[in-house]
Amino acid sequence: MTALPPTSTDDRIDVLRARWDAYLADGLFEQFIEFAVAVNSLAEHLNRLRLPGLVRLCEGLEGVALTRLGDEDAHPLGDQDVAIIQRQLDTLLGAVATVKPPAAVPERRGEELAPAAANEVEWIKPRTIWLVSPEGSSGMASALASQMRYFGFQVIDVNWGTPPPVEDQPLAVLFVPPPGDMQAAHFEFISAVRAASPVSQLFFLGAQSAIEPIVALMRAGIDVSIPAEEQSAMVLNRILDLVQNLEQDKHRVLVVEDSRVAGALIQRTLVQHGIDSLVIRDPGTLIESLEAYRPDLVLMDMYMPRFNGVEATRVLRQMSAYSTLPIVYVSSATDVGMQVEALRLGGDQFLTKPFNPVLLAAVVKTKIERFRETLRSTRLDGLTGLLNHTAAKSRLKALLAEAAGGQVPLTVAMIDIDHFKAINDTYGHPVGDQVIRALAWLLKGRLRSSDLIGRYGGEEFLVALPGVTPEQAGGVIDRIRHDFAALPHAHPGGTLHCTFSAGLAAYPVVDAASGLTEAADGALLQAKRLGRNRVEWTLSETRNVV
C-alpha cells in the first residue's frame, strides 16, 4: 500500500526525523534519497506557509543533502558529512520549534452574511511587525505604522542600534534607513536582527536602485529591498501577502507508462510531494483519461506498445484543449539527438531513467506552476489578484445559472472609488494603485470565499453575493464602505483617506447577467449624484438609500 503523504508541518517533521534516523542506522543509499525527498517536501510546504526564514534554513539543508547524493558507492557517508548534516538539521528543527502552532480559529470572511464555519489552520503566523527607524522619525514610518495597525498588526517601534524586543518572532521587520549613508554598524545591526529572528521576513525601505547596495543588504540578512519611489505602494501589499495561506488545488499528473514497476516508482515519488497522479499503461486511452482526469501535466514514456510518446504528444498538440499542457518525457534513452527531436516535436522536458526523485518532483512542480500561472494571467487582474473584467463577467453568468428558477437570491454590487482621478493627479499613480489594492484586500477580507469579487476596470469593482438579499447585501457593503473610509493610505507625505460609492441590483428582479450589471451601475450613478460615499440599490423601479 502506498503511504499517504504528510499533510501538516508536524507530519513532515516526523517523517524527516524518521528518515534521517533510519539512514543513520542502516546507511542505505535509498534511505538517503528518501531523506532528501523529505527535506524537499518540507521546504516546499514552508514556502506555501510563507515562512521565509524557515525556508532559507530548509533549503540550506537540502543543498547539503543533494551535494552528497553522489552514487550508491558513496554511502554510508563518513562521520564528517554526517556531522555537517546533523548540525544543519538541528538548526532547522530548533527554528521550527520557535513558531508555535496555536489553536484553530474561525474563518472571519463573510461572517456578516452567515455564521462562519471553523476553519482549521495549521499555523497562524505572528501578527507583530517590528519597525526599525531613526529616533524621532515620522512621516512615512508613522503612516505605515498607522495603516498596518488598521489591518490588525501589532507594530513595535525599534530604534537603530537598540536591542530588539525579547518576545516571539515577528512576522516581519521593516527597516527605515537612517539619515546619510549606511555605515558598518547599521549592517551589523541588521545581521543581529536576522540572527535573532530567523523565521521573520526582513524588509529594507528606501533602498538605492543599484545592484551593489542591494547585494550588501542581502548579505546582511535583508530578504526584500524596496526602492524609495515604490515603498508606499509595495510595503503593505507585501506584508499582507505574508499572512495569506492559500493552499492551491493539489497538483495532478497523468503518468503514461506501460511498465508497472516504473509507474509505481513514479507514483510513489509524486505522492511523497503531495502530488496526485493517475497511471495509465495503455496509451490508447490517453484522450479519454485526459478528459476524465484533467491533469496539470503529463509524464510520458518514450517507448510504448502501438505508438511512441512523441507520436502521442504530436496528436495532443493538434488539439486546442491540450496544445499548451506541459508534457515531460521519461525514458532510458540517452541519445541527445533523439531527445532534441522529441522536444522539437512538442515535449517540454526530457528526464532519463533512472531518474533522481528530487529532480523529478522539482521539474513536475515547476512546470505545473508555470502552466497555472499562464492560466491565471488570463483570468486575474495583475494589480489586485482579483478576477479581471472578462473572468468576472463569466463567473457572474455561472452564479446566475446556479440561481436559476428564482429560488435562490443573488445580489450584485458595482463599487467605484470616489474622486480617484484627483488621487492620481495629487499623489501619483503608485499611491492610486495602493488605494485600489487596499480596497481589494478589504473586500477579500470581509466577503466569503464563495462570493464573486472582480476588478471591473480602473477603480471600479464588481461583487456578487449568492444567497443574499439586497437588504442583507446593503448592510454588508455599507459596513465595508465605512471601514474603507477609515482606512489610512500611506504616502511619502503622510496618509490620506478615500471613500467609495456603490450600487446594488438583485436577481430575480433582474434575470440576466448584463441586466444586473447595468442596473447596479445605474444605482451607482445615483449614489454619485446624491453626494458619493453611500450605497444605493434597485428594487423594481425604486431606489433605496443606505
Side-chain angles (χ1 to χ4, degrees), residues 158-374:
V158 178
N159 292 327
W160 277 95
T162 61
V166 180
E167 56 178 39
D168 291 339
Q169 299 286 307
L171 171 70
V173 182
L174 308 184
F175 291 87
V176 177
D181 296 331
M182 289 282 291
Q183 304 297 321
H186 297 133
F187 289 101
E188 291 172 2
F189 180 69
I190 293 173
S191 297
V193 173
R194 171 80 285 165
S197 311
V199 302
S200 306
Q201 185 139 15
L202 273 56
F203 293 82
F204 189 89
L205 314 184
Q208 300 178 45
S209 297
I211 292 180
E212 288 189 4
I214 293 177
V215 168
L217 290 169
M218 290 169 56
R219 289 173 177 170
I222 294 295
D223 295 298
V224 180
S225 298
I226 300 180
E229 63 272 15
E230 297 182 14
Q231 57 183 278
S232 63
M234 288 182 63
V235 175
L236 182 66
N237 200 52
R238 297 294 294 266
I239 294 296
L240 290 170
D241 276 346
L242 289 177
V243 298
Q244 276 197 311
N245 182 18
L246 303 178
E247 291 285 349
Q248 295 184 341
D249 294 337
K250 182 174 284 189
H251 296 164
R252 298 161 67 87
V253 174
L254 180 65
V255 182
V256 187
E257 172 61 71
D258 64 312
S259 167
R260 190 184 300 275
V261 173
L265 180 58
I266 291 173
Q267 198 163 34
R268 176 189 177 192
T269 298
L270 296 178
V271 76
Q272 291 294 337
H273 285 77
I275 301 171
D276 191 57
S277 61
L278 172 68
V279 179
I280 61 171
R281 298 180 62 198
D282 180 7
T285 64
L286 177 58
I287 303 299
E288 295 85 347
S289 300
L290 286 169
E291 292 175 350
Y293 187 60
R294 304 189 66 81
D296 299 295
L297 179 142
V298 175
L299 277 175
M300 184 83 73
D301 188 21
M302 276 293 294
Y303 298 107
M304 299 174 291
R306 298 162 57 190
F307 45 83
N308 61 41
V310 173
E311 290 169 329
T313 299
R314 292 183 67 186
V315 171
L316 295 183
R317 292 305 188 222
Q318 296 176 46
M319 300 179 177
S320 59
Y322 309 117
S323 61
T324 60
L325 181 66
I327 298 176
V328 175
Y329 296 117
V330 181
S331 174
S332 57
T334 57
D335 184 347
V336 174
M338 184 272 293
Q339 294 180 15
V340 170
E341 183 69 4
L343 296 175
R344 186 184 69 82
L345 294 174
D348 293 280
Q349 190 151 343
F350 203 107
L351 296 177
T352 57
K353 300 176 183 177
F355 57 82
N356 181 314
V358 176
L359 178 60
L360 174 67
V363 167
V364 166
K365 289 197 171 186
T366 299
K367 294 294 182 184
I368 289 177
E369 286 301 325
R370 290 177 180 172
F371 176 61
R372 287 186 171 183
E373 185 60 36
T374 299

Side-chain angles (χ1 to χ4, degrees), residues 511-527:
D511 60 2
S514 59
L516 281 169
T517 55
E518 289 174 8
D521 201 49
L524 171 61
L525 292 175
Q526 177 70 355

